[in-house]
């Protein structure tokens, strides 16, 4: 089993590989446990080796990340008599782990959470780093908190029942880590069958992606250190500014990784214009994403609508001198070399969006 240390102020380990979840009973020994999980995974709770856990059942996928579900979760914790010394376990995909983390961050002003992600996306990204949140109609993850887990158990045995669409979606986050930090990931994705979640190649690219995220969040836990010359945790949002807008306007019917794939193509096109990213890397971006079955075109929403939603992106800043909201996007000049693109020209944004239209 691979182990990646996340050396933040409260260090924790990410365990990666078959059977990782068997470590859960030891991690929670002597404590009451509330498991937050979507309905399809309720039967899995009995296989976690826990003693009489409280089960808080939530809707599947992004439907779990709503204020109504959050309130029901608080009520469930209250009815079960969960105390500050107890622990919450997030079992499920990125939506379930985001919600479980936010419940833990806010219940009695903060209790421990252990994340047991069951999708590629959650293992590579959502369950690691302490970002938690819910969605509101105005946009995704606009309400949330930073709350680091005590441990993350990425048991790859839990991925074997995923459908192909879920695996492909999760791979988008792994590919993203290749573009922002570890280009070896890109070579591996191009050269081996990383879509087989039982393969050594998959475990390697997943471990590399987790290592990237661990290093980034340990240096900038609260996403505060970015400038044009140095990009901290915001680098993990490569492609996400457009992606989150797409998700919101498609009412979360698109998987996050599908939207992020389109977002990375958009970010690559913008990077070519502002950061000198080569035509070769822009083409490679499309080829890699297409090769693992992800979308690279999009024209289903009017640009003006998407652009308005992008103004609500958490990287956007308000300029009091002009009264404008200044858009800030993550770009790359080459794989591993990240910079912020601040206040890009509106005509260039339109041009990049048009480049996403199907031929």
């Amino acid at each position: 089993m691979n182990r990646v240390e996340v050396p933040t102020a409260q260090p924790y380990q990410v365990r990666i590989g078959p059977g990782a979840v068997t470590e859960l009973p030891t991690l929670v020994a002597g404590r009451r446990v509330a498991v937050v999980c979507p309905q399809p995974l309720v039967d899995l709770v009995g296989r976690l080796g826990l003693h009489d856990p409280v089960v808080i059942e939530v809707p599947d996928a992004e439907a779990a990340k709503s204020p109504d579900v959050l309130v029901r979760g608080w009520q469930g914790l209250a009815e079960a008599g969960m105390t500050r010394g107890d622990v919450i376990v997030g079992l499920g995909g990125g939506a379930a782990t985001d919600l479980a983390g936010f419940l833990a961050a806010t219940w009695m002003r903060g209790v421990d959470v252990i994340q047991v992600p069951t999708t590629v996306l959650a293992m590579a990204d959502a369950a690691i780093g302490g970002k938690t949140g819910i969605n509101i109609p105005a946009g995704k993850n606009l309400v949330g908190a930073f709350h680091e887990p005590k441990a993350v158990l990425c048991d790859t045995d839990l991925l074997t029942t995923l459908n192909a669409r879920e695996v492909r979606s999760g791979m988008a986050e792994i590919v993203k880590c290749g573009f922002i930090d570890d280009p070896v990931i890109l070579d591996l994705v191009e050269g081996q069958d990383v879509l087989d979640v039982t393969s050594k190649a998959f475990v390697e690219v997943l471990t590399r992606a987790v290592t990237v995220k661990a290093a980034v969040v340990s240096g900038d836990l609260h996403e505060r250190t970015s400038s044009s010359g140095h990009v901290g945790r915001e680098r993990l949002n490569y492609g996400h500014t457009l992606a989150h807008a797409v998700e919101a306007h498609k009412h979360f019917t698109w998987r996050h990784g599908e939207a992020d794939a389109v977002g990375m193509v958009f970010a690559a096109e913008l990077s070519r214009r502002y950061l000198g990213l080569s035509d070769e890397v822009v083409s490679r971006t499309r080829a890699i994403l297409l090769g693992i079955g992800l979308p690279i075109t999009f024209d289903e929403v009017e640009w003006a609508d998407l652009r308005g939603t992008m103004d609500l992106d958490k990287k956007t800043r308000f300029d009091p001198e002009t009264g404008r909201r200044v858009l800030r996007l993550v770009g790359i000049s080459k794989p591993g070399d990240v910079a912020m693109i601040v206040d890009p020209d509106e005509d260039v944004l339109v041009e990049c969006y048009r480049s996403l239209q199907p031929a």
Side-chain angles (χ1 to χ4, degrees), residues 70-349:
L70 178 66
V71 171
R72 292 202 300 271
W74 285 329
Q75 290 171 336
L77 293 172
E79 291 167 3
M82 299 297 289
T83 72
R84 183 170 285 175
D86 299 326
V87 60
I88 291 174
V89 170
L91 175 69
T97 58
D98 274 2
L99 177 67
F102 193 48
L103 280 169
T106 52
W107 182 247
M108 295 193 171
R109 298 191 178 94
V111 298
D112 288 347
V113 63
I114 295 173
Q115 302 288 18
V116 183
T118 61
T119 65
V120 178
L121 174 63
M123 289 186 184
D125 183 56
I128 302 163
K131 272 190 177 181
T132 74
I134 60 169
N135 307 327
I136 59 175
K140 182 173 178 176
N141 292 333
L142 293 181
V143 180
F146 290 97
H147 190 64
E148 294 179 78
K150 290 298 180 183
V152 181
L153 306 179
C154 296
D155 190 332
T156 52
D157 285 341
L158 300 179
L159 302 176
T160 57
T161 59
L162 290 181
N163 62 44
R165 184 183 181 190
E166 286 290 351
V167 174
R168 291 194 299 265
S169 174
M171 283 302 304
E173 288 294 332
I174 293 176
V175 168
K176 177 201 72 179
C177 289
F179 281 114
I180 66 169
D181 197 277
D182 182 3
V184 172
I185 291 173
L186 305 178
D187 298 334
L188 291 169
V189 170
E190 288 176 318
Q192 301 189 49
D193 182 14
V194 294
L195 295 177
D196 177 3
V197 297
T198 67
S199 69
K200 291 182 179 180
F202 171 78
V203 173
E204 180 175 357
V205 294
L206 175 60
T207 301
R208 283 182 172 274
V210 169
T211 301
V212 168
K213 182 153 193 183
V216 171
V217 301
S218 65
D220 182 18
L221 180 63
H222 295 101
E223 208 169 66
R224 292 173 177 163
T225 65
S226 293
S227 64
S228 59
H230 171 78
V231 183
R233 184 168 181 157
E234 285 184 322
R235 70 174 49 223
L236 297 171
N237 278 272
Y238 182 64
H240 285 48
T241 304
L242 180 69
H244 285 168
V246 168
E247 287 181 278
H249 283 278
K250 294 301 291 182
H251 307 290
F252 302 105
T253 57
W254 274 46
R255 299 290 194 272
H256 174 68
E258 293 166 343
D260 198 27
V262 169
M264 281 191 278
V265 176
F266 178 83
E269 290 285 356
L270 195 63
S271 296
R272 171 160 57 183
R273 290 159 175 79
Y274 279 95
L275 300 176
L277 184 66
S278 69
D279 293 348
E280 178 186 1
V281 175
V282 176
S283 297
R284 190 185 187 194
T285 300
R286 286 188 164 90
I288 289 174
L289 296 169
L290 189 63
I292 55 179
L294 288 166
I296 58 172
T297 61
F298 185 80
D299 65 351
E300 299 178 24
V301 179
E302 292 293 328
W303 169 250
D305 295 330
L306 288 173
R307 180 65 184 85
T309 301
M310 289 165 69
D311 266 342
L312 294 174
D313 184 84
K314 293 183 292 298
K315 296 181 296 299
T316 298
R317 299 291 183 265
F318 180 76
D319 184 348
E321 293 186 4
T322 63
R324 295 175 55 244
R325 297 181 70 88
V326 177
L327 196 63
R328 301 167 65 253
L329 300 98
V330 181
I332 59 172
S333 58
K334 63 182 179 180
D337 191 352
V338 181
M340 298 302 296
I341 300 172
V342 180
D343 201 13
D345 185 87
E346 295 294 332
D347 289 339
V348 175
L349 291 172

